[in-house]
């Protein structure tokens, strides 16, 4: 039973539509995949409709961009009620702010790259959560850079001169909102130091007190030290451990199933969820 609980589609910064992600997951030999687009559940209807035909069990989820004292934290939320008012309002606020922020980044980039807002619009699916990867794709389309990797290194990195921050909910609040929405909160890549600063153990302790259920222990952005540190925290704080690919289609080197989650952990996620959102099972009879 192969379970990958972290993937992105064109509803955010992945390069494949939700149904394509599921087909790719099936082709990769996965039994269960979670769709966890940044700050949106927009990809769910297509994925929910496609899953039974494709033959992959779907866990509807989300990855919420949060902040803790100015440090970026990503929170996965599984099986949330997508209509829960508190969470919905925060997500709408974040997505609106992401658009404003992307426009400001384009303004900053315009002189040096010739980029205009329409170039970015052309790279994002209608209604998608706009992120820096769409700006990267626009820079690629213009021939300014050859890859998302190069775009981030030269133009988009968080402490670079073209970077603008967007609104992100406080992560303790976000954990509470995911629980209030009946979902199960898991901190994504908690020790991924290469992306920027990471929070200290004290913040993760606070999150555990607020209702955090698990840590994404196994992830390509964790080296051996980070992985064992995260595994220790899981034990000490009574959480569970997941492992996932963080697949973005062609947008990143991450391959489906490169890290996976134990079936018992998925069962625990299902057990803890209290919303009406269900895992979409495949009829294997
Ligand atoms: P944003 O959400 O707009 O702040 O952009 C962050 C997103 O960019 C992350 O979710 C990653 O998927 C993506 N990202 C970050 N660094 C890179 C990179 N070096 N190459 C490709 N994608 C990246
Ligand atoms: Fe992403
Ligand atoms: Fe993330
Ligand atoms: Zn992700």
């Amino acid at each position: 039973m192969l379970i990958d609980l972290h993937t992105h589609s064109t509803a955010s910064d992945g390069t494949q539509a939700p149904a394509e992600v599921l087909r790719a997951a099936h082709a990769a030999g996965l039994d269960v995949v979670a769709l966890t687009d940044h700050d949106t559940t927009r990809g769910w209807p297509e994925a929910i409709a496609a899953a039974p035909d494709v033959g992959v069990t779907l866990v509807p989820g989300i990855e919420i961009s949060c902040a803790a004292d100015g440090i970026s934290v990503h929170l996965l939320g599984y099986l949330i009620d997508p209509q829960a008012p508190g969470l919905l309002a925060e997500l709408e606020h974040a997505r609106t702010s992401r658009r404003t922020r992307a426009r400001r980044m384009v303004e900053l980039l315009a002189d040096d790259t010739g980029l205009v807002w329409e170039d970015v619009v052309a790279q994002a699916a209608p209604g998608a959560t706009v992120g820096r990867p769409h700006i990267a794709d626009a820079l690629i389309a213009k021939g300014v850079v050859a890859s998302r990797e190069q775009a981030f290194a030269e133009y988009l990195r968080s402490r670079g001169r073209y970077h603008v921050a967007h609104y992100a909910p406080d992560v303790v609040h976000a954990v509470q909102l995911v629980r209030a929405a009946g979902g199960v909160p898991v901190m994504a890549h908690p020790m991924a130091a290469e992306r920027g600063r990471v929070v200290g153990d004290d913040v993760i302790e606070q999150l555990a007190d607020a209702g955090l259920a698990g840590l994404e222990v196994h992830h390509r952005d964790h080296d051996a030290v980070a992985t064992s540190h995260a595994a220790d925290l899981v034990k000490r704080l009574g959480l569970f451990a997941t492992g996932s690919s963080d697949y973005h289609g062609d947008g990143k080197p991450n391959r489906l199933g490169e890290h996976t989650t134990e079936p018992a952990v998925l069962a625990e996620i299902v057990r803890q969820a209290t919303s009406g959102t269900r895992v979409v099972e495949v009829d294997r009879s």
Side-chain angles (χ1 to χ4, degrees):
M1 176 100 149
L2 290 177
I3 302 167
D4 184 339
L5 293 180
H6 186 163
T7 71
H8 297 267
S9 74
T10 48
S12 65
D13 58 3
T15 59
Q16 294 174 315
E20 289 177 71
V21 172
L22 294 185
R23 285 193 284 273
H26 186 258
L30 293 177
D31 300 288
V32 183
V33 69
L35 183 68
T36 53
D37 276 302
H38 298 289
D39 299 336
T40 187
T41 59
R42 192 182 183 88
W44 285 17
E46 179 181 322
I48 288 168
D53 289 341
V54 173
V56 171
T57 294
L58 172 73
V59 182
I62 193 167
E63 183 177 23
I64 307 168
S65 295
C66 305
D69 301 324
I71 299 174
S72 167
V73 178
H74 286 181
L75 185 72
L76 296 159
Y78 298 109
L79 301 172
I80 54 169
D81 169 4
Q83 304 301 335
L87 185 57
L88 196 62
E90 285 287 20
L91 294 174
E92 277 172 2
H93 186 180
R95 290 195 306 264
T96 303
S97 170
R98 277 172 164 282
R99 283 199 164 252
T100 312
R101 169 260 204 155
R103 281 180 178 270
R104 305 223 331 249
M105 286 185 69
V106 168
E107 282 166 20
L108 294 175
L109 285 158
D111 279 352
D112 292 341
T113 66
L115 199 67
V116 294
W117 177 239
E118 286 65 36
D119 296 328
V120 176
V121 172
Q123 298 301 325
T129 300
V130 178
R132 284 178 282 168
H134 300 111
I135 304 177
D137 290 348
L139 290 170
I140 295 168
K142 273 201 125 50
V144 177
V145 293
S147 65
R148 282 187 178 184
E149 192 69 29
Q150 190 190 351
F152 271 86
E154 294 183 11
Y155 295 101
L156 305 177
R157 80 203 131 73
S158 299
R159 268 158 291 174
R161 53 193 280 233
Y162 306 103
H163 187 262
V164 176
H166 63 79
Y167 170 77
D170 175 76
V171 66
V172 173
H173 186 48
V175 164
Q176 292 162 344
L177 287 175
V178 167
R179 285 291 189 187
V184 184
V186 174
M187 189 177 173
H189 42 70
M191 318 275 156
E194 221 183 278
R195 299 161 173 255
R197 288 193 299 151
V198 298
V199 297
D201 293 357
D202 54 328
V203 172
I204 298 176
E205 283 161 23
Q206 262 184 300
L207 296 182
D209 288 342
L212 188 73
L215 295 182
E216 191 179 54
V217 171
H218 305 285
H219 186 285
R220 74 153 56 205
D221 294 353
H222 288 173
D223 61 17
V225 173
T227 303
S228 73
H229 185 121
D232 288 347
L233 272 179
V234 158
K235 272 196 205 132
R236 182 158 70 75
L237 301 176
L239 306 173
F240 58 66
T242 66
S244 305
S245 66
D246 206 351
Y247 179 69
H248 282 68
D250 296 331
K252 278 187 161 186
N254 309 32
R255 292 300 95 196
L256 283 160
E258 66 178 30
H259 292 287
T260 56
T261 296
E262 292 297 320
V265 171
L266 176 59
E268 180 60 19
I269 289 172
V270 170
R271 194 189 69 75
Q272 289 189 21
T274 58
S275 73
T277 300
R278 295 270 162 16
V279 171
V280 183
E281 302 280 358
V282 175
D283 182 4
R284 295 181 198 278
S285 62

Short mmCIF file of all heavy atoms in Angstrom, two decimals, residues 30-56:
data_model
loop_
_atom_site.label_atom_id
_atom_site.label_comp_id
_atom_site.label_asym_id
_atom_site.label_seq_id
_atom_site.Cartn_x
_atom_site.Cartn_y
_atom_site.Cartn_z
N LEU A 30 1.20 4.32 -7.08
CA LEU A 30 0.64 4.71 -5.78
C LEU A 30 -0.79 4.18 -5.63
O LEU A 30 -1.54 4.09 -6.60
CB LEU A 30 0.62 6.23 -5.64
CG LEU A 30 1.98 6.92 -5.55
CD1 LEU A 30 1.79 8.43 -5.50
CD2 LEU A 30 2.74 6.46 -4.32
N ASP A 31 -1.17 3.87 -4.40
CA ASP A 31 -2.53 3.46 -4.08
C ASP A 31 -3.36 4.64 -3.58
O ASP A 31 -4.57 4.70 -3.81
CB ASP A 31 -2.51 2.38 -3.00
CG ASP A 31 -1.73 1.17 -3.46
OD1 ASP A 31 -2.25 0.44 -4.34
OD2 ASP A 31 -0.60 0.98 -2.99
N VAL A 32 -2.70 5.53 -2.85
CA VAL A 32 -3.39 6.67 -2.22
C VAL A 32 -2.58 7.93 -2.46
O VAL A 32 -1.35 7.94 -2.30
CB VAL A 32 -3.53 6.47 -0.69
CG1 VAL A 32 -4.31 7.62 -0.07
CG2 VAL A 32 -4.19 5.13 -0.38
N VAL A 33 -3.27 9.02 -2.84
CA VAL A 33 -2.59 10.30 -3.01
C VAL A 33 -3.46 11.40 -2.40
O VAL A 33 -4.69 11.35 -2.48
CB VAL A 33 -2.27 10.55 -4.50
CG1 VAL A 33 -3.53 10.81 -5.31
CG2 VAL A 33 -1.30 11.70 -4.67
N ALA A 34 -2.80 12.36 -1.76
CA ALA A 34 -3.51 13.54 -1.27
C ALA A 34 -3.20 14.71 -2.20
O ALA A 34 -2.05 14.89 -2.60
CB ALA A 34 -3.09 13.89 0.16
N LEU A 35 -4.24 15.48 -2.55
CA LEU A 35 -4.05 16.71 -3.31
C LEU A 35 -4.03 17.86 -2.31
O LEU A 35 -5.00 18.08 -1.59
CB LEU A 35 -5.19 16.90 -4.32
CG LEU A 35 -5.05 18.12 -5.24
CD1 LEU A 35 -3.88 17.95 -6.21
CD2 LEU A 35 -6.34 18.37 -6.01
N THR A 36 -2.90 18.59 -2.27
CA THR A 36 -2.70 19.60 -1.22
C THR A 36 -2.21 20.91 -1.83
O THR A 36 -1.07 21.33 -1.62
CB THR A 36 -1.67 19.11 -0.18
OG1 THR A 36 -0.48 18.71 -0.88
CG2 THR A 36 -2.21 17.94 0.64
N ASP A 37 -3.06 21.54 -2.63
CA ASP A 37 -2.64 22.78 -3.28
C ASP A 37 -2.50 23.92 -2.27
O ASP A 37 -3.18 23.95 -1.24
CB ASP A 37 -3.64 23.14 -4.38
CG ASP A 37 -3.32 22.41 -5.67
OD1 ASP A 37 -2.19 22.57 -6.16
OD2 ASP A 37 -4.18 21.65 -6.15
N HIS A 38 -1.64 24.88 -2.61
CA HIS A 38 -1.39 26.02 -1.73
C HIS A 38 -2.66 26.88 -1.59
O HIS A 38 -3.15 27.45 -2.57
CB HIS A 38 -0.28 26.91 -2.30
CG HIS A 38 1.06 26.24 -2.41
ND1 HIS A 38 1.83 25.91 -1.34
CD2 HIS A 38 1.77 25.84 -3.49
CE1 HIS A 38 2.96 25.36 -1.75
NE2 HIS A 38 2.95 25.30 -3.06
N ASP A 39 -3.14 27.00 -0.36
CA ASP A 39 -4.19 27.96 0.00
C ASP A 39 -5.49 27.82 -0.78
O ASP A 39 -6.27 28.77 -0.87
CB ASP A 39 -3.67 29.42 -0.13
CG ASP A 39 -2.49 29.70 0.79
OD1 ASP A 39 -2.36 29.00 1.82
OD2 ASP A 39 -1.70 30.61 0.49
N THR A 40 -5.76 26.64 -1.35
CA THR A 40 -7.01 26.46 -2.09
C THR A 40 -7.45 25.00 -2.13
O THR A 40 -6.61 24.09 -2.11
CB THR A 40 -6.89 27.00 -3.54
OG1 THR A 40 -8.18 26.96 -4.16
CG2 THR A 40 -5.93 26.16 -4.37
N THR A 41 -8.78 24.82 -2.20
CA THR A 41 -9.35 23.48 -2.43
C THR A 41 -9.97 23.42 -3.83
O THR A 41 -10.75 22.52 -4.13
CB THR A 41 -10.43 23.15 -1.38
OG1 THR A 41 -11.48 24.13 -1.46
CG2 THR A 41 -9.86 23.14 0.03
N ARG A 42 -9.63 24.39 -4.65
CA ARG A 42 -10.21 24.52 -5.97
C ARG A 42 -10.05 23.28 -6.85
O ARG A 42 -10.85 23.02 -7.74
CB ARG A 42 -9.57 25.73 -6.66
CG ARG A 42 -10.25 26.14 -7.91
CD ARG A 42 -9.53 27.32 -8.55
NE ARG A 42 -10.27 27.73 -9.72
CZ ARG A 42 -11.26 28.60 -9.69
NH1 ARG A 42 -11.60 29.17 -8.55
NH2 ARG A 42 -11.90 28.91 -10.80
N GLY A 43 -8.99 22.52 -6.62
CA GLY A 43 -8.74 21.32 -7.44
C GLY A 43 -9.56 20.11 -7.01
O GLY A 43 -9.58 19.10 -7.71
N TRP A 44 -10.23 20.21 -5.84
CA TRP A 44 -10.93 19.03 -5.31
C TRP A 44 -12.00 18.45 -6.24
O TRP A 44 -12.01 17.23 -6.43
CB TRP A 44 -11.59 19.35 -3.97
CG TRP A 44 -10.68 19.47 -2.80
CD1 TRP A 44 -9.32 19.64 -2.81
CD2 TRP A 44 -11.08 19.44 -1.42
NE1 TRP A 44 -8.86 19.74 -1.52
CE2 TRP A 44 -9.91 19.61 -0.65
CE3 TRP A 44 -12.30 19.30 -0.78
CZ2 TRP A 44 -9.94 19.63 0.74
CZ3 TRP A 44 -12.33 19.32 0.60
CH2 TRP A 44 -11.15 19.48 1.36
N PRO A 45 -12.94 19.27 -6.76
CA PRO A 45 -14.03 18.66 -7.53
C PRO A 45 -13.53 17.80 -8.69
O PRO A 45 -14.01 16.67 -8.88
CB PRO A 45 -14.84 19.88 -8.02
CG PRO A 45 -14.56 20.93 -6.99
CD PRO A 45 -13.13 20.72 -6.58
N GLU A 46 -12.55 18.33 -9.43
CA GLU A 46 -12.00 17.54 -10.55
C GLU A 46 -11.34 16.26 -10.05
O GLU A 46 -11.54 15.18 -10.62
CB GLU A 46 -10.98 18.39 -11.33
CG GLU A 46 -10.37 17.62 -12.49
CD GLU A 46 -9.34 18.43 -13.28
OE1 GLU A 46 -9.54 19.66 -13.47
OE2 GLU A 46 -8.32 17.84 -13.70
N ALA A 47 -10.59 16.37 -8.95
CA ALA A 47 -9.89 15.19 -8.42
C ALA A 47 -10.88 14.16 -7.87
O ALA A 47 -10.73 12.96 -8.10
CB ALA A 47 -8.91 15.62 -7.33
N ILE A 48 -11.89 14.63 -7.16
CA ILE A 48 -12.89 13.73 -6.57
C ILE A 48 -13.64 12.98 -7.67
O ILE A 48 -13.90 11.78 -7.57
CB ILE A 48 -13.86 14.53 -5.66
CG1 ILE A 48 -13.12 14.97 -4.39
CG2 ILE A 48 -15.10 13.70 -5.31
CD1 ILE A 48 -13.86 16.02 -3.54
N ALA A 49 -13.94 13.70 -8.76
CA ALA A 49 -14.65 13.07 -9.88
C ALA A 49 -13.77 12.05 -10.59
O ALA A 49 -14.25 11.01 -11.04
CB ALA A 49 -15.13 14.14 -10.86
N ALA A 50 -12.47 12.34 -10.68
CA ALA A 50 -11.57 11.49 -11.47
C ALA A 50 -11.07 10.26 -10.72
O ALA A 50 -10.78 9.23 -11.34
CB ALA A 50 -10.36 12.32 -11.95
N ALA A 51 -10.97 10.36 -9.40
CA ALA A 51 -10.28 9.31 -8.63
C ALA A 51 -10.81 7.89 -8.88
O ALA A 51 -10.01 6.97 -9.13
CB ALA A 51 -10.32 9.65 -7.14
N PRO A 52 -12.14 7.66 -8.83
CA PRO A 52 -12.62 6.28 -9.01
C PRO A 52 -12.24 5.70 -10.38
O PRO A 52 -11.86 4.53 -10.46
CB PRO A 52 -14.14 6.42 -8.87
CG PRO A 52 -14.33 7.67 -8.07
CD PRO A 52 -13.24 8.59 -8.49
N ASP A 53 -12.33 6.51 -11.42
CA ASP A 53 -11.98 6.02 -12.76
C ASP A 53 -10.49 5.77 -12.88
O ASP A 53 -10.05 4.79 -13.50
CB ASP A 53 -12.38 7.05 -13.84
CG ASP A 53 -13.89 7.14 -13.99
OD1 ASP A 53 -14.58 6.18 -13.57
OD2 ASP A 53 -14.37 8.16 -14.52
N VAL A 54 -9.70 6.66 -12.32
CA VAL A 54 -8.25 6.52 -12.42
C VAL A 54 -7.79 5.31 -11.61
O VAL A 54 -6.82 4.64 -11.95
CB VAL A 54 -7.55 7.82 -11.95
CG1 VAL A 54 -6.04 7.63 -11.88
CG2 VAL A 54 -7.90 8.98 -12.88
N GLY A 55 -8.48 5.06 -10.50
CA GLY A 55 -8.10 3.91 -9.69
C GLY A 55 -7.11 4.25 -8.59
O GLY A 55 -6.31 3.41 -8.18
N VAL A 56 -7.15 5.51 -8.13
CA VAL A 56 -6.30 5.92 -7.01
C VAL A 56 -7.22 6.48 -5.93
O VAL A 56 -8.13 7.25 -6.22
CB VAL A 56 -5.30 7.01 -7.45
CG1 VAL A 56 -4.58 7.60 -6.26
CG2 VAL A 56 -4.30 6.45 -8.43
#
